[in-house]
Each structure stands twice: as structure tokens, then as C-alpha cells.
Amino acid sequence: MTFLITLIGFFIAGVTLAALVWSVAYPAKRIWPPNTYSTWTPVFVWVPTFALFGTLIALGLIGWGQMPIPNWARFGLGIPIILVSNIVVWNEVRRFGIAQTGGAQGTLKTDGLYRYSRNPQYVADAFMIFGWLILSASPNALAVGILAITVLMIAPFAEEPWLREHFGREFYDYCARTRRYL
């Protein structure tokens, strides 16, 4: 069972990574952000996202506590990182909008946490995974988690050409004053 869940996690993260790398290499034929937003777009965005997080949770539970991480770090760091990251992600999704977070064209967000990071949702998602890896102390989740974090850190490189194209000077000015991550 562990092998199958790990394989599913690698598959989802690998396909997502391939789509992002394709989008970076061939922005005119990009997959992300989508060229057109339809009723199916949220399905193609949210189902794999939640499935990947689900595999990480399952792998963490299966291998719970198998890595030599002290309990003070697991519970004292892992839980707060997960909680704060969730608050950040869902607050920004609420402010940004589900549709726009899922690839619909909208407005350039430069307020809230977007004043400090051009990608606070990706950063918070990466920290959420990191927090889970610490809390679960699971070698089963580690490799899939590292790949998932890699996907999150590459995603902005696929989005930025689209943002430059749609928001022009406003996006260039925003980039000049705001860091990509932290």
C-alpha cells in the first residue's frame, strides 16, 4: 500500500512538474497558467493539488515517527508551521478568489501579504509541507514532499511570463519592489 501511495504522489508531482517546466520552456504553448479558463479548469487544478496533499498526509501517517526527529521539534515546530501556513494560504485564497487562484484571469494582487512576497500562497504551501514532514517524521513522505516543494518553487517561473504579458509595466514595477518568495 505504501508503494502505491508513494507512486501516486510521485506521479501527481511529476506530471505537475513536467507541465510547469513545459510552460517555462514554451510560454506560447503553456499549460500553466491555462490559456483559457473553463468549468473544467478548477477540476484540473484542485483535484491533483488535494490528491497530492492527501498522499503526503497518508505517507506521513504510515511512516509516523520513523525518522529521528525529537518530539520537541516535531510538535513544537511542525504543528505551528502547519497552522500558520494554513492560515496564510486560506486567507490569501479568500482574498484572491478561488477562481483566480485556480487559473482564471483577474487583477494583479499587490496588497496583503503580496506586498512582501509575489507568491505568499506557494511559500505558505511549501512551509505547510515542510511542517508536515517535521511533524510526521516519516521517510515515506520525505521524497514526495521534497518533490512537491520543488513544484511549488518552480510554479512562479511558469506564471511570470503570463503576468508580464497581461499586466505589463504594473507587473515590472511590482517585481522591482517585491521579492519572488520571501
Side-chain angles (χ1 to χ4, degrees), residues 2-182:
T2 303
F3 178 76
L4 179 62
I5 296 170
T6 303
L7 193 62
I8 292 168
F10 274 128
F11 177 77
I12 295 167
V15 168
T16 305
L17 182 61
L20 291 171
V21 169
W22 173 272
S23 298
V24 170
Y26 304 102
K29 299 177 184 178
R30 72 178 182 275
I31 298 168
W32 183 257
N35 286 313
T36 57
Y37 186 86
S38 72
T39 54
W40 284 100
T41 303
V43 173
F44 291 118
V45 172
W46 293 107
V47 169
T49 300
F50 286 120
L52 181 57
F53 274 86
T55 63
L56 286 168
I57 291 168
L59 291 170
L61 293 174
I62 290 168
W64 187 263
Q66 292 179 2
M67 291 185 343
I69 299 175
N71 282 341
W72 68 264
R74 289 178 61 200
F75 296 96
L77 295 175
I79 290 174
I81 289 171
I82 292 167
L83 291 175
V84 170
S85 298
N86 264 289
I87 291 167
V88 168
V89 166
W90 292 108
N91 185 55
E92 292 305 317
V93 166
R94 180 188 57 77
R95 292 178 73 249
F96 209 71
I98 296 282
Q100 192 170 343
T101 300
Q105 186 172 343
T107 59
L108 182 64
K109 299 292 185 194
T110 61
D111 60 345
L113 291 178
Y114 284 87
R115 289 178 296 183
Y116 310 105
S117 169
R118 297 195 309 258
N119 300 284
Q121 291 181 58
Y122 289 140
V123 171
D125 278 336
F127 271 101
M128 191 183 317
I129 293 168
F130 178 68
W132 178 245
L133 295 176
I134 293 171
L135 176 63
S136 68
S138 170
N140 300 326
L142 186 61
V144 175
I146 289 169
L147 185 57
I149 290 170
T150 301
V151 166
L152 292 165
M153 295 300 100
I154 289 176
F157 294 97
E159 294 176 353
E160 288 180 356
W162 183 89
L163 290 164
R164 280 187 209 95
E165 178 184 321
H166 282 84
F167 297 109
R169 187 75 194 152
E170 184 182 4
F171 183 69
Y172 282 101
D173 292 344
Y174 176 57
C175 288
R177 68 179 184 272
T178 309
R179 294 180 179 167
R180 180 176 284 126
Y181 301 113
L182 292 176

